[in-house]
Amino acid sequence: MNSFKYLFGEPQDSISLENPSSVIGVIRTLARFYNTINCLDEYKNSLDRKAIGMLKGIYDGMGRTTGKLSNDNQTRTTKPNSAVIVGGQEMPTVDNALFTRFIMLEFYAKNRNHEAYERLKEIEKTELVHITLGFMKYRPNISAEVMVAYKIYREYFKGATEGLAMDDRMIHNATMLITPIFILKDHLDLPYTMEEVATVILDTIVKQHEKISKSTDANIFWNIFSGLVRMGTIKEEIDFRFRDRQILVRISNVYSPYAVQHRHETNTLGLAKESLIWYLENSEAYIGQDKQKFKTGTFDDQGNPKQTTTTCMVFDYDKLNLEIMVEGEGN
C-alpha cells in the first residue's frame, strides 16, 4: 500500500482499524488530505457497527456532522477528501452493502518476486510525485470525455454480467476503474490493450460477486444450520425433518441456537428473527409454510415420543448447499 502513497509525496502512516482508531479520528484524518490516498489497515469483520458504518460512509463521500457551540443551530460537517485503500486478512462479508463498495484484490504469499520488490523500494526513494503531476496536463481530456467513456463501459460491464444479478454498485466501481484508462490510452504508451484491462476488471468483479452470493444472510444461516446439525444442537424430527427432497424447519426452535452460534463465529449479532424470516422467504429455495407434526423430545407414560403440530417453513433441499440428508431420506 505504501507504494501507491509515494505517488503523492511522503507517505502518511496507515491507520489501524484494529487498535482501535476512533471514527472521529479517522474521518478527521481523511479530511486533512486532499486528492491523495490514505490507508486503513487491519480490517476485521469483528469491527463494531460504527466502524462498518464509517467505511460505507467514506465510499459515499459522507462525513460526520457535529453541532457548534452557538445559539443558532449551526453545524460543522467533516467529510473525507482523499481516496482510501483498506487492507486486512478478512473479506468484508459481515455486511454485503459494505462488500459491494469494495473492489477486492487478493494477494498470496506464494510466488512472490523478491527481486522485483527490492527494485520497487529503490524506485520509491527517487520520489514519484512527478508521475502524478505528469497526469495533470490531461485533466481537460478527462473532463471533456468522462461521461461518454463512462457510458460506453457501463453498458459493456452490464452486458458482460447479464444474468448474474450483479449489484449495480459493482458495475459502477468497474466502470470507474477503466474510464480514465480508456480516455488516456491515446496519450500514453500503455503496455496493455483495453481488451486486456477490461478482462482483468471483469474477472475481478465476477469473482467478488460469487463470494458475495455465498455470503448472503440466507446462506450464512444455512451454513450455521448445517454446523448445528453436525454438533447435535438442533435435531432431526424435533427441529427439522425431510419430506420429498424438501426440508421442513421450525424457525422458532432453530433461531436461538443460530443467534448464539452466529455471535460465537463472527463476534457480531445475527439477524433479528423477523429479518431472518424475511430473507429466508425471499430466497430461491423457499417453497412456503406448512403445518406438520414434529416430535417434542419428550415421552408419554408408555415411553412413546410425544408429538406436536406446528407451523414450519418449507425449502427445496436441492437448492440449498447442504450435506445433512442421509442417503435415501426425502426421496
Side-chain angles (χ1 to χ4, degrees):
M1 293 193 290
N2 266 347
S3 297
F4 286 105
K5 291 190 285 186
Y6 273 102
L7 291 166
F8 300 92
E10 187 67 25
Q12 300 297 315
D13 292 337
S14 297
I15 302 171
S16 174
L17 293 170
E18 187 180 30
N19 269 345
S21 300
S22 70
V23 169
I24 298 174
V26 172
I27 293 297
R28 285 179 176 173
T29 299
L30 300 183
R32 281 194 357 245
F33 299 98
Y34 284 76
N35 301 321
T36 183
I37 294 176
N38 276 283
C39 295
L40 307 180
D41 208 357
E42 303 300 337
Y43 170 86
K44 293 184 181 297
N45 284 318
S46 57
L47 293 174
D48 64 43
R49 302 305 300 179
K50 287 185 178 180
I52 299 298
M54 174 193 69
L55 292 174
K56 290 193 288 187
I58 291 170
Y59 174 94
D60 296 331
M62 298 168 58
R64 182 174 182 272
T65 300
T66 56
K68 291 184 178 180
L69 293 176
S70 62
N71 297 322
D72 53 4
N73 297 321
Q74 292 186 51
T75 59
R76 179 187 294 108
T77 300
T78 307
K79 292 186 176 182
N81 293 308
S82 56
V84 171
I85 297 176
V86 180
Q89 296 183 346
E90 296 183 11
M91 294 188 297
T93 55
V94 68
D95 187 332
N96 281 343
L98 174 65
F99 205 169
T100 58
R101 284 168 164 82
F102 281 98
I103 299 170
M104 191 178 72
L105 301 177
E106 299 177 274
F107 299 90
Y108 303 96
K110 61 181 180 180
N111 300 324
R112 287 185 175 177
N113 188 327
H114 294 284
E115 291 183 2
Y117 174 77
E118 293 302 325
R119 289 199 303 272
L120 175 63
K121 302 311 290 183
E122 288 299 318
I123 292 172
E124 289 173 356
K125 295 177 182 178
T126 65
E127 298 186 359
L128 305 180
V129 180
H130 68 281
I131 298 176
T132 308
L133 294 177
F135 282 101
M136 294 301 295
K137 62 183 178 182
Y138 300 115
R139 188 180 182 115
N141 301 84
I142 297 291
S143 298
E145 302 173 41
V146 63
M147 292 311 301
V148 173
Y150 179 88
K151 289 178 181 178
I152 290 172
Y153 275 99
R154 181 176 177 81
E155 291 304 312
Y156 166 77
F157 286 121
K158 285 182 69 174
T161 58
E162 188 175 3
L164 293 180
M166 184 172 291
D167 190 286
D168 191 63
R169 190 182 287 125
M170 295 179 64
I171 299 293
H172 170 75
N173 294 343
T175 308
M176 291 298 291
L177 274 182
I178 201 170
T179 294
I181 301 174
F182 176 75
I183 295 172
L184 297 177
K185 64 181 174 57
D186 295 329
H187 304 281
L188 303 173
D189 184 18
L190 300 178
Y192 37 73
T193 66
M194 290 307 302
E195 290 76 14
E196 291 172 328
V197 176
T199 298
V200 170
I201 295 175
L202 179 61
D203 288 345
T204 298
I205 63 172
V206 168
K207 289 178 182 177
Q208 184 171 341
H209 171 73
E210 291 172 351
K211 290 180 171 65
I212 290 174
S213 298
K214 293 177 181 178
S215 64
T216 63
D217 291 297
N219 285 338
I220 291 172
F221 167 78
W222 289 115
N223 288 338
I224 293 175
F225 180 91
S226 298
L228 293 171
V229 172
R230 289 191 295 270
M231 291 187 292
T233 305
I234 57 177
K235 297 177 172 60
E236 186 176 354
E237 298 296 336
I238 296 176
D239 304 307
F240 72 97
R241 66 183 182 84
F242 299 107
R243 180 188 68 187
D244 300 328
R245 302 301 295 179
Q246 297 174 348
I247 182 169
L248 287 62
V249 180
R250 298 177 66 185
I251 291 297
S252 57
N253 278 26
V254 170
Y255 177 75
S256 291
Y258 148 79
V260 171
Q261 190 64 16
H262 190 287
R263 183 60 182 262
H264 175 72
E265 292 184 10
T266 68
N267 198 32
T268 61
L269 295 174
L271 292 172
K273 185 177 179 181
E274 295 75 14
S275 298
L276 174 62
I277 291 173
W278 186 91
Y279 280 107
L280 292 175
E281 288 178 341
N282 286 275
S283 66
E284 183 184 3
Y286 181 68
I287 296 174
Q289 286 193 347
D290 201 355
K291 280 194 173 182
Q292 291 291 320
K293 288 184 177 181
F294 287 83
K295 294 179 180 178
T296 65
T298 59
F299 299 87
D300 60 22
D301 295 337
Q302 287 73 43
N304 299 313
K306 292 183 179 180
Q307 291 187 325
T308 183
T309 301
T310 186
T311 301
C312 59
M313 300 182 74
V314 184
F315 300 89
D316 184 332
Y317 181 84
D318 294 319
K319 292 182 179 179
L320 298 172
N321 186 28
L322 300 179
E323 296 181 357
I324 58 176
M325 182 180 284
V326 177
E327 188 68 30
E329 282 187 320
N331 294 326

